[in-house]
Amino acid sequence: MKLRQYLRSDAARGYLLVSPTALYALLLLAVPLAAIFAFSFWTQDYLTIDKTWTLKNYREALSEPLYRELMFRSVRISAAVTLATVLLAFPIAYFVSFHVPKERKSLWIFLITIPFWTSYLIRVFLWKVILGYNGVLNTTLQGVGIIDEPLTFILYNANAVVITLAHAFAPFAILPIFVALEKIDRSLLEASLDLGESKVTTFFRVTLPLAMPGVIAAVLIVFIPTIGDYVTPRLVGGPNGLMIANMIQTQFLKLNNAPMGATLAVLAMLIVTAISLVFVGLNRKFLRGQK
Amino acid sequence: MTQPIIELRDVQKHYGEYHALRGITADIGQGEFFSLLGPSGCGKTTLLRTIAGFEGVTSGAVLIDGKDMAGVPANLRPTNMVFQSYAIFPHLTVAENVGYGLRRRTDLNRQAKEVLVGEALEMVGLDGFGKRAAHALSGGQRQRVALARALILKPKVLLLDEPLSALDKKMRDQMQVELIKLQRHVGITFILVTHDQEEALVMSDRIAVMFDGEIAQMDDPEVLYRRPNSRRVADFIGVMNFLPASVLSESGDRIEIEVNGLGRVEIGTDQAPLAGANGGTSVGFRPETLTILYEGQTSNDHIAQGVVEEVVYYGDMTYYDVRLDGAETPVRISMRNLFGRPVLEIGTRARIAWNPGALVLFR
């Protein structure tokens, strides 16, 4: 009786309505995550998995210099990618928002997304062609006589990873910054000029603070996926450009040590979470006063 | 007149093909409350923005305090503006907004600036609001912050771009009076842009009525209301009745005219402005210059006869649309609803007293 009543209530209907999606989200997000967590507390015992709960993996992951080095390098490369992407994206977003006529803005945004029409993998390979020892860049520079020897610091190292990722994530950074700039009431800029500030000081006192939510969104959007990127370091990173995701892959597949891989994945997640929380906090500060 | 604070000399502004300002010439005096009044698209805001320095002029000159402002950007002009949207910086507090323009004042230390901000807030009735976030303010409060932020810099001219249009009626009436008081208190020139003729009449010392990028008439409110120089100005400001008329004879400073519904009458040449009539000769008069006579009432003025065709009751006033005998269209007459005086019904025949001195001839 009570069950029937409950099934007729609004709450029950709501749950029923969302249940397919909720189930889907549970299966695809929560379950794998829980599995990774569980694995990280287990250990690999040759061919079988020892399911006794232990922190042994975490101790090893935190004390082993190789893992630590890879973790730091991942953060470092990600930070460099984020910095480069956001610094390059801002002027583009600014230009489109402030200097492109209104009716052509959507065309510009559309053009910016064009690189996405090709697969990520192909774009990475193209960078290999551009940056390689006999690549486009080196042959051109040699051809015009700027360099005698091909540059070697641009491929198969961290630099190549930064360049490739910065290119891949550029639209992700441009769009949120563009949106934030679009939301700025232009009369605020005029008001600042009217109150005696120059165009440059107006940028720093009005435009930039009001664009910060977009900048922070861009930082998060670029930073979070790049720290766990696997394809780019694998293809253009060389031995010194490898990142934590490559190690996780190695643990799972080559070394057949899923628990260790899971532990590294959890640790990477924790680091991303910690850094992201800092930016979310910053965002809250900048969002103060904006609707 | 003393040295005008703003001199506009044949100011022209083109936007490509569009001719936004067609030769504006005007002097605005020190301490004057001056309004630019006109329908949207008449160029009044463009003119204000050329004075502020946000727009350049195609030809002509804008002089502020005797200095040609050509090439002087907005941040270096002795003017400050209150924007239509108020343009309050949402990421700053009220005090930071008000003190925004003080940053370049290196002669003041922090305490001196705080004192100035406090005084400015007090002047606009917002003392104690300094620490509030700007986005939490109401429309009227934003307006006050915008005023304080502009006036704290002691500009020679304060420019107001439709400052009251975003407020509700009651708040608007209140702010009109406050703005007049504030202007008297600080004693600087205010230039107000508005499309609201009532607002302009209430607040201004002088009004420039603009149509299509030109000043149609520039006068004090009373002259503008009583002696509009064209039918278009007359139509834009307040309610004006028009009746077709014809000129019978002119001699010296007297003109004899025949008006449908009012008959033959003599008026002075000062009642016949030179500007175009826009569709034949006609006579204009305000609704309050006619009086409906009740039974037994007499008047020394001219008397006309008519029938009440429509009654619009406003509480303190009643508007009657009366068709005068011999006229084709009704005229509007406004009567105060004095105590004990009944509101007339539709169809009533009435005697109407009128005075030739209130007529304006457009030809």
Side-chain angles (χ1 to χ4, degrees):
Chain A
M1 202 60 201
K2 273 212 169 140
L3 181 73
R4 188 170 288 174
Q5 243 172 20
Y6 174 75
L7 282 175
R8 278 208 198 125
S9 73
D10 283 347
R13 273 184 210 178
Y15 286 127
L16 273 173
L17 271 175
V18 299
S19 58
T21 29
L23 212 65
Y24 179 78
L26 208 68
L27 279 174
L28 273 103
L29 291 170
V31 171
L33 211 57
I36 293 283
F37 258 108
F39 265 98
S40 75
F41 291 103
W42 296 339
T43 41
Q44 187 78 29
D45 184 16
Y46 196 51
L47 285 177
T48 56
I49 284 174
D50 177 1
K51 290 186 182 167
T52 41
W53 294 74
T54 166
L55 286 172
K56 181 173 159 284
N57 289 328
Y58 284 93
R59 268 196 299 275
E60 195 186 328
L62 292 173
S63 55
E64 168 68 44
L66 175 64
Y67 299 149
R68 245 190 313 187
E69 162 61 22
L70 280 174
M71 204 70 93
F72 279 128
R73 187 191 293 160
S74 297
V75 173
R76 230 172 23 238
I77 290 179
S78 262
V81 169
T82 308
L83 191 74
T85 313
V86 171
L87 283 183
L88 291 173
F90 197 96
I92 298 173
Y94 186 89
F95 175 80
V96 177
S97 179
F98 282 82
H99 295 287
V100 171
K102 213 182 240 155
E103 62 275 11
R104 268 189 242 142
K105 277 181 188 171
S106 43
L107 175 71
W108 274 78
I109 293 299
F110 172 72
L111 290 175
I112 285 168
T113 60
I114 278 188
F116 277 88
W117 296 8
T118 20
S119 124
Y120 177 47
L121 207 58
I122 290 173
R123 275 178 285 142
V124 179
F125 272 112
L126 281 175
W127 275 107
K128 274 176 100 150
V129 174
I130 293 170
L131 300 174
Y133 192 80
N134 289 318
V136 178
L137 192 66
N138 277 327
T139 42
T140 311
L141 288 178
Q142 277 177 299
V144 295
I146 292 176
I147 53 170
D148 301 324
E149 293 274 301
L151 303 173
T152 52
F153 65 89
I154 51 174
L155 191 61
Y156 298 125
N157 55 29
N159 295 336
V161 178
V162 172
I163 292 170
T164 311
L165 285 176
H167 170 248
F169 280 92
F172 288 116
I174 292 170
L175 290 176
I177 297 173
F178 171 76
V179 169
L181 289 172
E182 280 290 284
K183 277 206 307 202
I184 297 175
D185 181 357
R186 300 306 192 250
S187 68
L188 293 176
L189 309 180
E190 285 190 341
S192 175
L193 286 179
D194 188 63
L195 294 167
E197 296 294 348
S198 68
K199 284 191 172 165
V200 175
T201 49
T202 293
F203 176 81
F204 286 107
R205 290 190 79 187
V206 181
T207 316
L208 193 58
L210 289 176
M212 273 324 270
V215 171
I216 287 169
V219 165
L220 289 174
I221 287 175
V222 177
F223 184 79
I224 293 174
T226 48
I227 202 167
D229 195 80
Y230 157 76
V231 177
T232 304
R234 180 69 203 280
L235 291 176
V236 301
N240 293 326
L242 286 179
M243 289 163 68
I244 192 69
N246 304 102
M247 178 50 81
I248 294 171
Q249 186 251 4
T250 308
Q251 291 288 350
F252 268 100
L253 300 180
K254 292 200 184 130
L255 300 179
N256 193 24
N257 190 350
M260 194 63 216
T263 305
L264 291 174
V266 170
L267 283 176
M269 254 190 304
L270 286 177
I271 289 171
V272 170
T273 310
I275 295 172
S276 301
L277 281 178
V278 173
F279 280 101
V280 169
L282 275 179
N283 207 14
R284 197 159 289 169
K285 178 178 158 278
F286 281 111
L287 276 174
R288 172 191 75 137
Q290 288 178 58
K291 278 168 243 161
Chain B
M1 194 158 128
T2 51
Q3 164 82 26
I5 190 77
I6 289 190
E7 294 161 75
L8 304 171
R9 302 225 177 112
D10 192 28
V11 173
Q12 306 260 358
K13 176 77 186 173
H14 290 266
Y15 291 107
E17 291 287 291
Y18 182 62
H19 203 166
L21 297 175
R22 301 162 185 259
I24 303 284
T25 299
D27 285 350
I28 299 169
Q30 187 83 52
E32 199 173 9
F33 201 128
F34 188 89
S35 291
L36 296 167
L37 173 66
S40 57
C42 73
K44 55 190 193 297
T45 298
T46 307
L47 184 58
L48 194 77
R49 291 171 59 83
T50 57
I51 297 172
F54 296 128
E55 311 273 353
V57 296
T58 310
S59 71
V62 175
L63 278 74
I64 301 179
D65 207 13
K67 285 194 259 319
D68 192 347
M69 286 290 127
V72 180
N75 51 334
L76 301 178
R77 294 194 182 193
T79 58
N80 284 115
M81 185 138 154
V82 174
F83 290 81
Q84 187 170 10
S85 61
Y86 310 139
I88 303 297
F89 301 117
H91 57 302
L92 303 177
T93 64
V94 169
E96 285 166 341
N97 262 285
V98 172
Y100 188 88
L102 292 178
R103 190 188 65 93
R104 70 203 159 119
R105 289 282 302 273
T106 43
D107 55 314
L108 298 172
N109 61 19
R110 208 158 59 88
Q111 277 103 331
K113 286 179 184 174
E114 274 169 19
V115 170
L116 278 180
V117 169
E119 283 171 2
L121 283 173
E122 204 182 315
M123 182 172 64
V124 296
L126 282 181
D127 28 334
F129 278 70
K131 291 219 163 61
R132 293 219 192 164
H135 65 97
L137 297 178
S138 72
Q141 290 166 337
R142 276 161 194 259
Q143 158 120 71
R144 287 160 202 265
V145 173
L147 277 167
R149 186 176 70 177
L151 289 173
I152 200 172
L153 301 174
K154 307 225 176 343
K156 289 183 173 143
V157 181
L158 183 73
L159 308 171
L160 302 119
D161 184 10
E162 307 242 10
L164 305 177
S165 61
L167 303 177
D168 61 55
K169 173 99 178 84
K170 236 189 180 121
M171 194 73 213
R172 195 156 60 220
D173 292 348
Q174 189 192 334
M175 280 311 292
Q176 282 178 3
V177 177
E178 281 194 36
L179 272 176
I180 298 169
K181 283 190 185 155
L182 195 63
Q183 195 259 345
R184 271 189 216 130
H185 173 70
V186 295
I188 63 168
T189 307
F190 278 32
I191 302 180
L192 172 83
V193 157
T194 180
H195 64 269
D196 183 341
Q197 44 98 14
E198 191 187 297
E199 192 173 296
L201 290 176
V202 169
M203 294 165 67
S204 324
D205 296 323
R206 216 147 53 98
I207 301 170
V209 181
M210 290 182 69
F211 294 119
D212 307 323
E214 284 174 315
I215 294 180
Q217 185 172 5
M218 186 160 52
D219 267 310
D220 65 59
E222 213 186 327
V223 173
L224 204 62
Y225 186 77
R226 285 178 39 176
R227 291 271 185 273
N229 67 4
S230 68
R231 203 173 153 151
R232 203 169 178 197
V233 172
D235 233 358
F236 191 72
I237 297 192
V239 179
M240 189 68 128
N241 290 305
F242 296 100
L243 285 174
S246 52
V247 176
L248 301 175
S249 67
E250 277 188 78
S251 60
D253 60 350
R254 307 301 292 170
I255 305 173
E256 198 186 10
I257 54 172
E258 162 104 43
V259 185
N260 292 5
L262 295 178
R264 281 183 184 209
V265 68
E266 235 186 36
I267 57 168
T269 44
D270 60 323
Q271 285 165 258
L274 292 170
N278 238 345
T281 307
S282 63
V283 145
F285 47 92
R286 298 290 182 188
E288 67 279 8
T289 60
L290 303 181
T291 315
I292 294 177
L293 296 176
Y294 283 77
E295 273 186 37
Q297 265 186 309
T298 54
S299 169
N300 295 329
D301 282 338
H302 291 58
I303 307 284
Q305 304 274 340
V307 179
V308 175
E309 289 199 334
E310 191 61 74
V311 179
V312 185
Y313 180 73
Y314 271 92
D316 58 335
M317 306 278 292
T318 304
Y319 284 104
Y320 296 100
D321 288 344
V322 177
R323 193 205 299 264
L324 299 172
D325 296 349
E328 298 197 339
T329 51
V331 294
R332 176 152 281 201
I333 300 174
S334 65
M335 295 286 288
R336 292 188 58 201
N337 291 330
L338 299 179
F339 179 73
R341 184 191 275 177
V343 174
L344 296 175
E345 284 177 21
I346 293 173
T348 313
R349 271 203 79 77
R351 291 175 302 134
I352 290 118
W354 61 279
N355 192 303
L359 302 184
V360 187
L361 179 70
F362 302 107
R363 52 177 173 170

